[in-house]
Amino acid sequence: MRFLGHVVRFVVSAIVLLIVGWIVPQFSIGGFWSALILALVIALIGWVVEGIFGKKVTPFGRGIVGFLVSALVIWIAQFIVSGVSVSILGALLAALVIGIIDLFLPVSTPFEAAK
């Protein structure tokens, strides 16, 4: 059941990224598979950042620092995943839209899911 929960979480995250790609200018995703890999890369980078700097300085954290780190993680992830193109403004807008969507569809962090 835990594995299935992670799969569902990444599929939902990929769908959210596709929606964000449709809404946000300067943020484009090549398709569902690119979005799924992007969701995985964002989660992995966020997990590493959370492990190094703590929960306050993560894409999953709240506040301005979490927002800026989220935008930075989205911008960096474009260099890892093919089919993704994000400008700095697009990353900021995407982080804002993802934060708003997260208010309605909260997704647990990798550390919270492991507990």
Side-chain angles (χ1 to χ4, degrees), residues 62-87:
R62 301 290 186 239
I64 190 72
V65 174
F67 168 73
L68 292 175
V69 170
S70 178
L72 182 64
V73 166
I74 291 168
W75 185 75
I76 290 171
Q78 76 169 331
F79 299 112
I80 299 170
V81 180
S82 64
V84 177
S85 174
V86 182
S87 69

Side-chain angles (χ1 to χ4, degrees), residues 17-39:
L17 287 169
L18 286 171
I19 292 169
V20 169
W22 183 66
I23 294 172
V24 174
Q26 301 179 12
F27 183 91
S28 64
I29 298 178
F32 178 76
W33 291 109
S34 292
L36 190 63
I37 294 169
L38 182 63

